[in-house]
Amino acid sequence: MLSRPPVPSVSTFAARPDWDVFCRVIDNFGDIGVCWRLARQLAGDFALHVRLWVDDFDSFRLLCPELDPGLSIQVLQGVEIHCWETCFTPVVPARVVVEGFACHLPETFVEHMAHLSPRPVWINLDYLSAEEWVSGCHLLPSPHPRLPLIKYFFFPGFAVDTGGLLRESTLRARRLQFTGSAELRSAWWRELGSTAPPASALLVSVFGYDNPALGDLLRAWEISERPICCLMPLSRPLPVLDAFAGSSLGSGDIIRRGSLEVRVLPFVEQDRYDCLLWLCDLNFVRGEDSFVRAQWAARPLVWHIYPQQAAAHLTKLDAFLAIYCAQLPQASSVVLRDFWHAWNAGRIEAMAWGKLVAALPQLREHALRWDAELSLQEDLLGRLVRFSCSRL
Ligand code: TRH
């Protein structure tokens, strides 16, 4: 026999929400980056009433500066955002409940889900991987050991039989509008308190984990034939960059050495970060969400994968390289693979950079093709909403 659920508090929206999305920030920005994007798209593209529960407003605010850390409930971009306090105030669960990256829902909330009729569809949104096992595990049910509830494992991925990738319906149109409009581009630079670098410069964005290979790269860029402008949004100081500069750098600082200009940027709002990726000739990205956004930018990319124990991440890296390089001419494929491996191993030879630059025109064509082909697949939320509807 189930015990009675606690009395719910009143939500800012009158009716019971359509979706609850729970996000615990473990480290960095991937968890909140994905959950915020997903919640915004549910509200924007699907006109759903979404409640987003986040336990760390300080991290969240870096991606979404409008967030008021003093408010425990607020509505932004159509999403009802709640501070996920340690002591969870009971509410009526939504029709669909997304647990971001196995973040463990509050016990009282799970009890409450079990008492509802119909019971909510419970989804665990997992991490992205290009590995083959993902297709076999996507949508596997996991019955609750005690309560009459089933949790489904939803795996993002690159194949049609996985959960796909987050991609808002307006993304491509926004990108084309931005890249095609000199006015929008100069407004973007202006808002950042900066100006566009000369057209002759190779524009590179760098967002990665602390990596000694960055020092190798900066030194190679310093003596590059072509001027290089490197844009680096920082959320915290980067020791390798500071060592290169010889002083501690912060947002707004610029270093000029030989052919290289490094501009340290503030960590920009999520949509503005997209614009940065769209502007650059080459993007260094990391983790999960920036890695996906760089693919939707249709520009060449270098991925710093999130390091895991026993080098498990290298298997993930190779699984992606295998599909990404499948239709890339052999010579460029070797260059790209070698460069990604070297970047992740923390050591870049000057010659490797030279080879990558030479391959850039071909890599750019490939990135356009990759984006076009991958965009033909249904996006993650289309798949997730369809699956949830089938279980409601
Ligand atoms: O920050 P990440 O490394 O995040 C993660 C987490 O470490 C997570 O625990 C791990 O499991 C996962 O990687 C694989 O990188 P990611 O995923 O790219 O998230 C960064 C987010 O920050 C993404 O939504 C883009 C956003 N962003 C901005 O909004 N503005 C910026 O200026 C930058 C650089 C990024």
Side-chain angles (χ1 to χ4, degrees), residues 54-83:
V54 182
D55 73 337
D56 175 357
F57 272 20
D58 289 338
S59 298
F60 190 5
R61 203 146 73 99
L62 283 167
L63 291 91
C64 172
E66 324 157 65
L67 189 79
D68 183 343
L71 294 177
S72 57
I73 305 177
Q74 56 202 295
V75 178
L76 292 177
Q77 302 186 36
V79 178
E80 189 181 315
I81 298 166
H82 289 243
C83 182

Side-chain angles (χ1 to χ4, degrees), residues 26-34 37 62-64 101 127-128 206-207 209 232-235 265-274 276 285-293 303-306 316:
I26 304 295
D27 63 356
N28 302 326
F29 304 100
D31 309 286
I32 183 57
V34 168
R37 200 179 287 296
L62 283 167
L63 291 91
C64 172
F101 311 108
Y127 290 107
L128 169 67
V206 176
F207 176 48
Y209 305 110
M232 255 191 224
L234 288 191
S235 61
L265 306 182
F267 202 81
V268 291
E269 193 184 338
Q270 216 175 28
D271 287 346
R272 287 206 188 163
Y273 180 60
D274 275 330
L276 174 67
V285 287
R286 74 183 204 192
E288 176 165 328
D289 191 53
S290 57
F291 167 57
V292 172
R293 301 312 278 188
W303 183 26
H304 198 178
I305 190 167
Y306 185 75
K316 271 174 100 169

